[in-house]
Structures are given as C-alpha cells and as structure tokens.
C-alpha cells in the first residue's frame, strides 16, 4: 500500500481524535457498540459520525428488524482486507422492538456513591456532572493522576463521557470535550487506556452497588425500648436486576424482562410479573416479599403481557415470522393457567381484534352497511362476464375490483390497494390512468378478455388474444387447391408474403361489419432462456495472425465477463442463480430473478473495477491510471445480464473449480433425504471451521452452512451426533438460533480451521518453490545457476517485503555463498531482466534489491476515493491500523531486513 494512502487514512483518524466533537462521537459509539472491535468502530465513525448502534444485515434480521429501502450501508475493511458493510439502527424497521443494552443512570450514580463514600444521588446537578465528579473522585483516590494536568483532564473527560453514554438516554447538550493533543500513536494509545479504565471502573461501580444493596445494617439505638443484648438486624433485601419494564394488562403489576447474558444482544430472556411499587425504574426489583412471578423463558411473552396491540392480524404476524403458533399456544396456556387469577385491566389486540386461539382466522360478524352502488353495478357486470375482467372508469382512472384486481395487479406489477364498500372486509382494487389505458388494457388482453365500462355508455366487450384467434376462421381452410406443384422460383418467403396480403384483405373486409371491437393480433409464447439465440463468436483465421500478433480480446467483453462471474456478492448467490437457470425460465423471468437477487449495491476493488447494480441493471468501469487507453466500461439492462450469464453457464465458465466443488456441497446440504442431508452437513462442518474461540475449539455459525436455517434447527441434535462420530472431535454442543440456524461448538486438539489449512498449504507451496530455486542455484553451468538464484531472489523478496525492498546477505546461501559473491554481477544482470525489479545494489556483504510495488504480495496500491455519486462507483480504501494501535495481528506479514 502506498505511503500517500496510509497518510490520508491516518490523517482522518488523527483529525477525529484531535477534534473534541468527533472524539465525543468516537467515545459514544465505542461505548454503545461493545460488540465491535475498535478497528471497525473508528472506520464507522469516520464514515458516519452520527452513527448509533450498528450490526450487519444478517444480525439485524436475526433481531426481527429489516433494513429500510434505499438505506446505504456503512463500509469498513475487515481483518482480511475485504470490504464489508454495517447498518445503523436508524436505517431499520420492524415490529420486533430493538432494545439496546443500557446501564441505568440511577444505578451508576448510586454505585459511585457506594464506591466513593459520597452522596451525590440526591444532588440537584445534572446527571453528567454527577458522573464526572464520581469519576474524578475515584481517579484521585486510586492514584490515576500524574503531574500532567492536561492529561488528567482528558482522562476525566474521556472516562466520564464513555460511562455516561452507556446509560439509557445520554444527552450531549452542554457537554464539551477537548481533542487529544498528542501525536497519532500517543492519541490512539490514550484512547485505548481510557476505554480499559472506564470498563474496569464500571465493574467496580456495579460491585459496590450490589454490595450496598445487600449490606446488613446493625441498629445501635439507645432508646430504652430498643435496648437488647442482641443487635437488631434488618432482614436482608433480595434485589433482582431487570433490564426492561412496561405496564402490564394486569392490575398492580408491571411486566419485567431479565437478560441472562448482558454481553450478547441475543441474550436468553426471562419474563416476570411484579408489583409496580417494588420496581424502582432503575433496573432493580425488590423481591424481599417474594412477589416476583416467573411467567416464561420466551422473550416474546413480554409483548403479549404489555398493555399494547399490533397493527397486523395474528395470521399476518405468523406470515412475517414475528410470532409462531407455539407462541400463541404458550400465551393461551398462560391465560388459562398461571395468569387466570390475575385481575385484567386490558388485553392485547391484533388489528383491532382480540387474541384468539386456536381459531385466530375466525372473523367476528360486523354490522352491515349499505353497499356502494358502484360496486353493486360492477359485480352485476362481473356476473354477466364471469371469464372476463371488468374495467370500470371512475374519473381519470380505470379501476378493477375483487379477485381480478389481485390477479391483474400481480401480472402487471401494479400496486394493490383496498376500499370499503359496505362489506365485512375491504375489497382489493387496482387502477391505472385513462391516458395510458390502451397500454394496460392491451397487457390484460394477453391473458384475459376485458369489459370496458365508460360513464353513460354501454359496456364494451373485448376478446382476449387467445379467444380472438379461436373465433376467427382460417381464410384458407375451405380453399380447394388448384395446383400444388412446387415451382422452381417459389420460396417460403413468397408464400408467407402472399398469405399475409390475403389475411390483411380479409381483416379489412371484416372490420366494416364487426359490431364489437376485437384485437386479433396473436402473441407468440415467450421462449425459455435456453431457447435463446446465441450470438456467434468471431472465428479466427490464418489472416488474423499474418502480422505476427495474436488478436487481443475485447476489453469491454472481458470486463463484462469478469463482473458477471463475481455473481451477486451474497452468500450462495451464484448457486441460487444457477439453480434458477436450471428451471429454464423465460428470459424476462430470469432477468426479474436476477434483479431481486442482486438488489441495490456495488463494490470497488484494488483491481480497478468499480461496479454498481440497481433496479435498472448493472454498470461497471475499469480505470488504469498508468495506461488510460485500457479504460473501459459497460451498462447492461437486466435482460442483457440474464442472457450473458446464461451464456457463461452454458459454456461451463461461470463457476471457478473451487465453486464447482462447493456447489456440489450446496446441493447435498439442501437436497435429498433427511439422512443424506444430515451426513452432508456434518461432513462439511470441518470445511466451515473458521472462528477459533480458543486453542482447542471452534464455533461454526449456522450462516456458514448452505442448508436452510429451519432444517438446521429441526435436525440439530442429529447433526451433532454425526459430528461427534469424527475421531478428531473430543466433544461438541449446539445452540439453536431462530433466525440464523444452529451454531455448533466443536472441541478437539488437532482441529484446524479452513483458513489455517489454506494458509499452511499456500505457505508450504511458497517455501517449497523458493527452496527448489535456491537449491537449483548450486548445480549446472554458471549461467544456469545465476538465473536460478536471480529467480529465487525475486520470489523471496516480492513475497516477504512490506516496503518494496529486500536484502540478501551472502552468508544466507551457506555453502553457495562464495559463488553468489563471485558472480554477483551476473546475478544482477539477470535481476534487471525481470519486470518486477526496480533497482539493484551490489556491495561486499549483500545484494540489495528494490521491487516495483505492484509486484509485492503484501503491498496494496493506491485506490480511488469512494464516492456516492450515481455515476461514480464507490471505491473503498484500506489501511494498516496497527500503525495507530489497533490490533491487526491476524494479517501477518514478514519484515525486510536492512
């Protein structure tokens, strides 16, 4: 990577740490996103300073929330140098309420009082001031301060604001902070130190708070009626920590939620009912009187017990997978069992209907209202023409009602709405403007006959294309052939032209006598994607090679193939595309599938290719700064994309060899009998080993498998038993996830992840290759030995250098050292013949080589800045965050010796 680019990224980080407002944003974001490493957090804050809580697309889905249409992800670079995206909580929606894990403000302040021996809880100053005084007192009493007053000030500000932001509703109004005044490395180290001290202080505050609640007070009263030989001891209070509370539908009770593992956003939950007066609104419930009632260990019961309702029906909640039938059954059992004796003050409603089980689809009879006369007239016509679509003109629109509205709306991709006509349920309807009525009516006629109803006119019946063809006789059917002898000048085209002329004459005669307008132009059945006509590729001949140069491929065509072979860039996206193609849809149907599969997004890469895809199609461009003549771009609509991907699949080049192997695993995990799928998943588990938790066990996420999440959860125990049969596995257990499939934890001393195995394989190949070249330098003629040693130095240097330079000392070559030293000039000459070598310096002790950065494996070249313009594709920047103190140790990399 170029020094210029590193400086730009580091300058952005330094600017953030040195600016008070931006530093506050970083403290806030780090405090509220403990699940994100700091190397990711700093990138997010630089890209979007006001970001709140961020998770990946799949993580939001697992929490029952969806990304808002059109919302842009926040890019960052992961440990592997890959561009990833996170989404802010403000860009999500869903009936599944998002609850950030917070630390109650009252609990924090009371904890400081207990820890420091102060009484600021009842002080009138603001919450942030109380926290800041508590932090300063603690730091002073525990020798955290130094003689550097400026450092002490930044320490107090940083820890105070970090802890303050962990509470429920921190307010930045009136809070000021100075930027860090040190250099880049010192600023980064100081931020890490502040974070560590703040988290340690929070643990001590929490412990002090709990100890204070459970403290036994001895009464030492000197009043006569209180004198006793024994100390009077207050009964121990039983305080239970809770994390969410709301009014319930039961008199005198609140519904409470307790997270069993507060370090995880998907923590298991316990739902309780407790007395309102025993809850202090600070996350504590006084259960000394044992009044807390455990209702369920299903977190969704919290929503059933609250005094609220849902805008969706029970069936719609099932369809959207927000609730399950098991949830409904559990709540019904609670109502008829544990909750039966609690006095109700309300009940939960779904779309203004009370909760029902098991007949939640039953509709209550509603009072009848006079039916709309327009709808009465519409239904009369519909009954007269049961096989046609009635199109009713109302003002500037043509409307279709009822079941036909749903059918036609889906076929024409029109928005389906509904309207009240005095019935028990609203009636579905669609509409389109009169000025484009011909276009939409023509589309309806492809599959249905139409009855057009205009104001103050008789209904007009128009036959569908199919019906019109059946009704119209073939004008040649009754002709007697006079001479059917084939003439030498007759051609098929001649006969077709004569037939078309005759048909035109017949249609003109019939149009004069027709009483009902008909459209008779037949529509051909849409061809499947495999019936498409392929564009023939140019065939090369001897003449193409006469100038001595082999013809070069078209850069634009090569760019199209390169981009399309990458697929939709989503998990198993290419596999789904091939599966859909094998169903042999129409070209249009395949294009629609691809549009949905790709969605909206794009990427920018170090190979100079920027790609963007949206509802219109795919566009991409390639820019070569050193050779602008190589620049090219393309813009394909989805139907063009469909045809080109089909060509790649038919030619057998859409998958790489590795993807072909993975596709076989994909099919075996998703198809076949349950037994075969279970064995396939277990067998592939060791391909998915990725996330090492300790030296001896791995966690395999459900999202790493190709199988659907439901199958993983339903057969988790059977898969676990199959995994345990592997002799390398010492033990294994599972955790099922409703939205992301089962996670498997596998123990074994000899287990290695796919990444480790790949690294070992690649590294060993490099070592063997270089070792062979080095060994080859000992044998043969002087010229052959010099070439082999030069090749070794190029392989070794470009693989190991992180700066573009590598030094080879003569003594490294051991028994071949004298030859290398004596023939250094010949080796130098061979080195200069290679395009990777920029400069060579030969001296008495070594050969010092400079390489062009483009050929160095561990150096990435400068990329373009990312933009969000519609025409300029986003290009991501990468950086080495180790230089400023953020852990990037997994990336590895050797250092040059000088």
């Amino acid at each position: 990577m170029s020094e210029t680019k590193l400086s730009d990224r580091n300058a952005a980080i330094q600017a953030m740490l040195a600016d008070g407002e931006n530093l506050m944003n970083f403290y806030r974001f780090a405090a509220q996103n403990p699940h994100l490493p700091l190397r990711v957090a700093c990138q997010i804050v630089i890209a979007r300073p006001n970001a709140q809580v961020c998770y990946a697309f799949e993580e939001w889905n697992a929490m029952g929330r969806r990304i808002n249409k059109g919302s842009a992800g926040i890019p960052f670079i992961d440990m592997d140098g890959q561009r990833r995206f996170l989404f802010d909580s403000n860009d999500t929606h869903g009936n599944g309420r998002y609850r950030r894990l917070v630390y109650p403000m009252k609990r924090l302040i009371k904890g400081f009082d207990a820890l420091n021996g102060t009484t600021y809880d009842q002080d009138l100053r603001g919450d942030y001031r109380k926290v800041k005084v508590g932090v300063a007192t603690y730091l002073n009493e525990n020798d955290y301060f130094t003689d550097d007053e400026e450092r002490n000030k930044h320490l107090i500000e940083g820890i105070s604001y970090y802890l303050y932001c962990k509470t429920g509703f921190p307010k930045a109004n009136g809070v000021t902070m100075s930027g860090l005044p040190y250099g880049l490395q010192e600023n980064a180290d100081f931020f890490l130190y502040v974070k560590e001290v703040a988290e340690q202080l929070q643990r001590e505050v929490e412990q002090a708070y709990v100890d204070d609640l459970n403290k036994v007070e001895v009464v030492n009263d000197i009043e006569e009626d209180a004198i006793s030989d024994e100390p009077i001891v207050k009964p121990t209070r039983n305080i239970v920590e809770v994390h969410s509370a709301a009014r319930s539908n039961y008199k005198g009770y609140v519904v409470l939620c307790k997270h069993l593992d507060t370090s995880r956003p998907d923590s298991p939950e316990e739902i309780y009912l407790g007395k309102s007066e025993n809850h202090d609104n600070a996350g504590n419930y006084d259960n000394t009187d044992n009044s807390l009632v455990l209702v369920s260990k299903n977190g969704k019961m919290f929503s059933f017990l609250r005094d609220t309702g849902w805008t969706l029906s029970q069936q719609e909640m099932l369809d959207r997978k927000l609730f399950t039938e098991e949830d409904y059954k559990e709540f019904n059992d609670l109502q008829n069992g544990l909750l039966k004796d609690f006095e109700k003050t309300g009940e939960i409603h779904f779309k203004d209907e009370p909760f029902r089980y098991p007949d939640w689809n039953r509709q209550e009879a509603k009072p009848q209202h006079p039916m709309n006369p327009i709808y009465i007239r519409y239904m009369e016509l519909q009954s007269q023409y049961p096989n046609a679509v009635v199109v009713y003109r109302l003002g500037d629109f043509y409307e279709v009602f009822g079941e036909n509205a749903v059918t036609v709306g889906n076929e024409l991709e029109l928005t389906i709405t509904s309207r009240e006509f005095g019935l028990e349920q609203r009636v579905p309807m669609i509409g389109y403007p009169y000025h484009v009525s011909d276009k939409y009516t023509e589309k309806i006629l492809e599959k249905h006959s139409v009855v057009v109803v205009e104001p103050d006119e008789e209904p007009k019946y128009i036959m569908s294309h199919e019906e019109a063809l059946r009704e119209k006789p073939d004008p040649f059917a009754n002709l007697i052939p006079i001479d059917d002898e084939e003439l030498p000048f007759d051609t098929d085209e001649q006969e077709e032209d004569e037939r078309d002329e005759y048909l035109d004459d017949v249609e003109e005669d019939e149009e004069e006598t027709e009483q009902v307008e008909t459209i008779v132009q037949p529509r051909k059945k849409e061809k499947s994607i495999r019936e498409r006509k392929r564009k023939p590729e140019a065939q090369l001949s001897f003449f193409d090679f006469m100038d001595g140069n082999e013809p070069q491929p078209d850069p634009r065509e090569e760019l199209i193939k390169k981009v399309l072979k990458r697929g939709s860039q989503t998990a198993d996206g290419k596999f789904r595309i091939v599966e859909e193609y094998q169903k042999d849809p129409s070209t249009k149907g395949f294009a629609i599938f691809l549009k949905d599969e790709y969605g909206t997004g794009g990427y920018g890469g170090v190979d100079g290719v920027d790609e963007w895809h949206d509802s219109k199609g795919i566009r991409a461009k390639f820019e070569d700064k050193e050779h602008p003549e190589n620049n090219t771009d393309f813009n394909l609509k989805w139907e063009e994309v469909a045809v080109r991907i089909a060509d790649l699949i038919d030619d057998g080049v859409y998958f790489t060899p590795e993807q072909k192997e993975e596709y076989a695993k994909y099919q075996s995990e998703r198809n076949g009998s349950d037994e075969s799928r279970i064995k396939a998943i277990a067998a592939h588990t060791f391909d998915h080993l990725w996330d090492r938790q300790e030296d001896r066990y791995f966690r395999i996420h459900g999202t790493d498998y190709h199988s659907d999440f439901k199958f993983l959860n339903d057969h988790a125990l059977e898969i676990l038993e199959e995994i345990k049969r592997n002799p390398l596995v010492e033990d294994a257990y599972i955790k099922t996830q409703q939205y992301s499939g089962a996670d498997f934890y596998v123990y074994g001393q000899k287990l290695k992840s796919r990444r480790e195995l790949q690294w070992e394989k690649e590294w060993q190949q490099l070592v063997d290759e270089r070792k062979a070249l080095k060994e080859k330098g000992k044998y043969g003629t002087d010229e052959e030995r010099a070439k082999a040693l030069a090749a070794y130095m190029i392989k070794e240097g470009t693989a190991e250098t992180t700066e573009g330079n590598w030094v080879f000392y003569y003594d490294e070559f051991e028994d071949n050292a004298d030859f290398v030293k004596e023939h250094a000039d010949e080796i130098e000459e061979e080195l200069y013949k290679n395009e990777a070598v920029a400069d060579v310096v030969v001296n008495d002790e070594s050969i010092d080589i400079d390489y062009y950065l483009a050929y160095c494996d561990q150096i990435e070249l400068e990329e373009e800045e990312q933009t969000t313009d519609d025409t300029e594709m986003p290009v991501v920047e990468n950086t080495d965050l180790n230089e400023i103190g953020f852990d990037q140790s997994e990336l590895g990399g050797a250092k040059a010796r000088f």
Side-chain angles (χ1 to χ4, degrees):
M1 184 179 298
S2 69
E3 292 301 324
T4 301
K5 184 172 180 183
L6 279 174
S7 299
D8 290 343
R9 179 58 62 86
N10 290 343
I13 297 173
Q14 173 67 346
M16 175 184 67
L17 297 174
D19 180 81
E21 183 177 351
N22 290 332
L23 181 61
M24 288 175 61
N25 283 330
F26 194 20
Y27 277 127
R28 172 188 55 75
F29 188 82
Q32 296 178 356
N33 292 267
H35 56 284
L36 295 178
L38 283 181
R39 70 176 308 277
V40 174
C42 75
Q43 296 180 70
I44 298 299
V45 174
I46 289 173
R48 188 179 296 180
N50 62 346
Q52 300 299 310
V53 179
C54 295
Y55 285 98
F57 183 89
E58 297 80 5
E59 293 172 316
W60 281 122
N61 282 349
M63 287 185 261
R65 299 191 67 77
R66 299 294 180 265
I67 306 302
N68 297 335
K69 184 176 181 181
S71 297
I74 308 173
F76 71 95
I77 305 301
D78 67 8
M79 296 293 291
D80 298 321
Q82 299 296 317
R83 188 186 189 204
R84 306 293 184 194
F85 291 91
L86 296 179
F87 292 88
D88 192 8
S89 57
N90 291 329
D91 295 331
T92 68
H93 68 279
N95 288 319
R97 185 166 63 94
Y98 172 68
R99 299 194 296 264
R100 175 172 67 87
L101 294 177
V102 300
Y103 196 82
M105 177 62 75
K106 288 186 178 180
R107 192 184 189 96
L108 180 62
I109 296 173
K110 288 183 178 180
F112 268 121
D113 283 346
L115 183 64
N116 297 330
T118 55
T119 56
Y120 290 113
D121 178 38
Q122 304 301 322
D123 195 280
L124 297 180
R125 70 185 70 188
D127 290 336
Y128 176 70
R129 291 289 305 280
K130 295 178 185 178
V131 173
K132 193 172 182 180
V133 171
V135 169
T137 303
Y138 172 84
L139 296 178
N140 184 50
E141 293 179 354
N142 289 273
D143 299 327
Y144 278 93
F145 289 152
T146 67
D147 294 335
D148 187 343
E149 292 298 328
E150 186 176 23
R151 177 188 176 278
N152 297 341
K153 172 190 172 185
H154 289 299
L155 190 64
I156 294 173
E157 289 179 345
I159 296 174
S160 301
Y161 196 67
Y162 186 90
L163 293 177
Y164 180 63
C165 290
K166 280 187 170 290
T167 62
F169 302 97
K171 300 176 182 178
N173 296 341
V175 179
T176 59
M177 184 179 296
S178 302
L180 300 180
Y182 314 113
L184 178 63
Q185 185 63 55
E186 293 82 358
N187 284 345
D189 291 341
F190 187 82
F191 187 94
L192 289 168
Y193 178 69
V194 168
K195 181 175 179 291
E196 291 171 359
V197 175
E199 291 173 348
Q200 173 63 28
L201 177 53
Q202 183 183 358
R203 290 190 289 270
E204 293 189 28
V205 167
E206 173 64 16
Q207 187 61 50
Y209 177 81
V210 173
D211 292 343
D212 185 64
L213 287 178
N214 297 324
K215 182 173 62 177
V216 177
E217 297 183 13
V218 179
V219 178
N220 186 19
D221 199 333
I222 61 172
E223 294 294 332
E224 195 170 313
D225 57 355
I227 296 175
S228 170
D229 294 336
E230 298 293 334
I232 300 175
V233 181
K234 287 186 178 182
T236 302
R237 298 173 66 195
N238 181 15
I239 304 300
V240 178
E241 180 184 3
V242 295
H243 302 94
S244 297
R247 289 180 299 178
S248 75
N249 290 321
Y250 301 93
K251 186 175 181 180
Y253 284 86
V254 291
V255 56
L256 306 166
C257 176
K258 178 178 177 64
H259 298 287
L260 301 183
D261 184 356
T262 56
S263 65
R264 296 165 41 196
D266 57 345
S267 166
E269 298 173 336
E270 291 181 343
I271 307 302
Y272 294 87
L273 282 177
K275 293 181 179 179
S276 303
E277 61 268 21
N278 288 16
H279 182 243
D280 64 356
N281 293 318
N284 304 297
Y285 184 87
D286 187 351
N287 197 34
T288 305
D289 58 357
N290 292 321
S291 58
L292 199 61
V293 179
L294 175 61
V295 177
S296 174
K297 294 185 178 182
N298 179 359
K300 293 183 181 180
M301 291 302 108
F302 187 91
S303 299
F304 283 89
L305 298 175
R306 296 178 65 194
D307 59 338
T308 185
W310 300 86
T311 58
L312 302 177
S313 68
Q314 285 183 245
Q315 185 59 46
E316 288 172 329
M317 297 293 281
L318 287 179
D319 294 340
R320 300 192 183 189
K321 298 182 180 180
L322 299 173
F323 290 138
T324 65
E325 293 188 24
E326 289 75 15
D327 296 331
Y328 290 160
K329 182 179 185 305
E330 179 179 355
F331 183 60
N332 183 68
D333 293 342
L334 288 172
Q335 284 188 313
N336 297 325
L338 178 65
L339 304 176
K340 182 172 60 175
D341 297 329
F342 285 78
E343 182 181 350
K344 277 191 173 184
T345 57
E347 61 179 326
I348 188 172
H349 280 73
F350 294 82
K351 209 172 186 178
D352 299 327
E353 296 289 342
F355 172 81
R356 298 192 187 93
Y357 184 85
D359 54 343
W360 56 78
N361 281 323
R362 173 172 57 86
Q363 298 293 328
E364 295 288 349
K366 293 184 178 180
Q368 295 295 317
H369 299 284
M371 193 178 296
N372 190 297
I374 294 176
Y375 187 68
I376 294 175
R377 172 61 174 155
Y378 184 91
M379 294 309 296
E380 289 176 350
L381 291 169
Q382 189 65 76
S383 63
Q384 294 178 27
Y385 301 96
N387 297 322
V389 174
V390 177
V391 180
Y392 205 104
R393 174 76 177 270
L394 292 175
D396 292 337
F397 281 81
Y398 286 93
E399 310 284 356
V400 180
F401 303 111
E403 295 180 0
N404 282 340
V406 177
T407 302
V408 174
N410 290 329
E411 292 174 354
L412 273 59
E413 298 184 2
L414 293 174
T415 301
I416 302 173
T417 59
S418 62
R419 182 173 176 176
E420 182 65 57
F421 281 116
L423 302 175
E424 292 184 1
Q425 295 181 340
R426 296 174 67 86
V427 176
M429 62 180 291
I430 62 169
Y432 51 85
Y434 77 95
H435 62 275
V436 292
S437 60
D438 291 344
K439 170 186 172 183
Y440 285 102
T441 303
E442 177 67 17
K443 288 184 177 181
I444 299 174
L445 288 168
E446 292 179 7
K447 297 183 179 180
H448 314 277
S449 298
V450 172
V451 177
V452 180
V453 185
E454 298 282 355
D456 303 323
E457 293 184 14
E458 288 296 318
K460 184 192 301 183
Y461 179 81
I462 307 176
M463 287 187 287
S464 68
H465 299 156
E466 182 180 357
E467 184 180 0
L469 288 175
R470 289 198 308 266
E471 291 289 327
K472 193 154 204 168
D474 186 350
F476 294 98
N478 298 321
L479 292 180
I480 301 175
I482 299 175
D483 181 7
D484 59 354
E485 181 181 358
E486 184 176 352
L487 300 178
F489 301 105
D490 286 344
T491 64
D492 293 338
E493 291 181 356
Q494 246 181 338
E495 293 177 359
E496 290 175 4
D497 291 341
E498 293 170 0
R499 179 183 175 90
D500 290 341
E501 288 178 10
Y502 184 84
L503 282 172
D504 291 339
D505 293 338
V506 172
E507 289 176 8
E508 289 176 5
D509 292 340
E510 289 188 1
E511 283 178 359
E512 297 178 0
T513 59
E514 282 181 340
Q515 300 299 318
V516 179
E517 180 184 355
T518 60
I519 301 175
V520 297
Q521 183 181 358
R523 291 298 179 102
K524 294 181 180 180
K525 182 181 178 181
E526 195 169 5
K527 290 183 178 181
S528 70
I529 185 70
R530 292 188 177 179
E531 294 175 326
R532 71 192 184 281
K533 289 185 178 181
R534 294 196 59 174
K535 180 181 179 181
E537 295 185 2
Q539 299 297 314
L540 299 179
S541 68
F542 172 77
F543 299 100
D544 297 311
F545 298 87
M546 288 187 65
D547 59 358
N549 296 318
E550 183 177 349
Q552 297 299 314
D554 181 5
R556 181 176 181 274
E557 289 298 317
E558 292 302 304
L559 177 62
I560 291 173
K561 291 178 182 179
K562 183 176 184 177
V563 169
L564 296 186
K565 284 182 182 180
R566 288 176 173 172
S568 60
Q569 299 287 297
T570 58
D572 295 340
K574 291 184 72 172
F575 300 158
R576 288 192 295 272
I577 290 171
V578 173
E579 272 193 340
E580 182 66 17
Y581 176 72
Q582 290 172 345
K583 297 175 184 177
D584 200 19
S586 65
T587 301
K588 183 177 180 181
F590 193 41
I592 293 173
F593 170 84
L594 290 173
K595 180 177 71 172
D596 294 337
E597 170 65 33
Y598 274 75
T600 300
Y603 58 83
V606 295
D607 55 1
V609 177
D610 300 329
E611 181 268 357
W612 188 256
H613 47 266
D614 52 27
S615 60
K616 296 180 180 179
I618 299 178
R619 60 183 184 271
K621 67 178 180 180
F622 170 76
E623 289 189 0
D624 187 341
K625 292 184 177 180
E626 294 184 3
H627 303 284
E629 66 274 13
N630 295 333
N631 293 355
T632 185
D633 59 28
F634 71 83
N635 190 344
L636 299 180
K637 295 182 179 179
W638 284 115
E639 289 199 13
E640 297 174 270
V641 174
V643 170
R644 286 180 174 273
I645 288 181
D647 291 346
L648 293 173
I649 295 173
D650 286 349
D651 294 339
V653 295
Y654 188 59
F655 283 157
T656 65
E658 295 77 16
Q659 288 170 345
K660 288 180 181 178
E661 294 180 6
E662 197 65 28
Y663 184 56
K665 298 174 184 178
Y666 171 87
Q667 291 180 309
S668 63
E669 286 190 26
R670 299 184 72 91
N671 302 309
S673 64
D674 289 354
E675 182 181 0
S676 67
R677 292 179 67 184
I678 290 168
K679 289 184 177 180
I681 293 170
H684 301 159
T685 293
F686 300 93
D687 296 329
H688 298 305
L689 290 178
W690 192 269
D691 182 15
R692 181 184 288 278
Q693 303 296 319
E694 294 178 355
D695 289 340
R696 57 188 303 271
Y697 86 93
F698 290 82
R699 175 185 180 187
I700 304 96
H701 298 274
T703 53
D704 288 333
Y705 292 100
H706 298 302
S707 178
D708 59 279
F709 298 153
K710 186 177 186 304
F711 186 88
L712 283 175
N713 284 335
D714 291 346
H715 300 274
L717 293 176
E718 298 158 84
I719 296 171
L720 182 66
E721 291 302 316
E722 193 68 26
I723 291 174
K724 288 182 178 179
R725 291 191 177 96
N726 189 297
L728 293 179
V729 175
E730 297 176 3
D731 195 8
Y733 68 94
I734 57 175
K735 179 179 178 184
T736 58
Q737 305 282 352
Q738 180 178 1
Y739 297 101
S740 59
D743 289 352
F744 293 81
Y745 295 77
V746 183
Y747 289 75
Q749 291 287 357
K750 298 181 180 180
L751 294 177
K752 290 186 178 180
S753 72
R754 178 173 55 182
R755 180 187 297 172
E756 289 174 314
L757 293 172
Q758 185 64 22
W759 281 349
E760 289 181 1
K761 181 180 178 181
E762 293 176 357
W763 179 252
Q764 192 59 46
Q765 287 176 347
L766 289 172
V767 170
D768 292 345
E769 184 178 0
R770 284 179 265 169
K771 184 177 180 181
L773 288 170
K774 191 175 182 181
E775 191 68 16
K776 190 177 178 181
K778 297 180 181 180
Y779 308 102
T781 64
D782 290 353
E783 182 181 359
E784 291 172 345
R785 294 175 68 180
K787 286 183 177 180
L789 289 169
Y792 162 73
M793 292 178 181
I794 293 168
K795 286 281 185 182
E796 178 80 0
T798 56
E800 296 290 347
T801 181
T802 58
E803 302 291 340
N805 173 273
W806 199 259
V807 181
F808 295 89
Y809 294 93
Y810 297 134
D811 58 5
E812 292 181 21
F813 296 87
E814 301 174 349
D815 55 350
N816 206 25
D818 291 339
F819 178 86
V820 175
K821 189 171 184 179
E822 293 172 5
H823 295 80
D825 292 337
E826 292 94 321
I827 295 173
E828 177 185 10
E829 184 179 348
E830 291 297 332
L831 287 169
Y832 273 122
K833 292 179 182 179
N834 192 286
E835 59 186 0
V837 176
D839 191 23
V840 181
V841 177
V842 177
N843 53 49
D844 294 336
E845 296 181 354
S846 64
I847 299 177
D848 190 336
I849 307 173
D850 289 334
Y851 304 92
Y852 288 110
L853 301 185
Y855 295 90
C856 299
D857 297 342
Q858 300 194 52
I859 300 178
E860 295 181 62
L861 296 181
E862 182 179 2
E863 302 164 11
E864 289 188 358
E865 288 291 323
Q866 176 185 356
T867 68
T868 56
D869 187 88
D870 287 339
T871 57
E872 293 294 326
M873 309 302 168
V875 179
V876 72
E877 291 188 356
N878 198 354
T879 187
D880 182 356
L881 299 179
N882 273 329
E883 295 196 4
I884 59 162
F886 297 108
D887 184 18
Q888 193 171 279
S889 59
E890 290 186 21
L891 295 181
K895 292 185 177 180
R897 293 180 292 124
F898 294 93

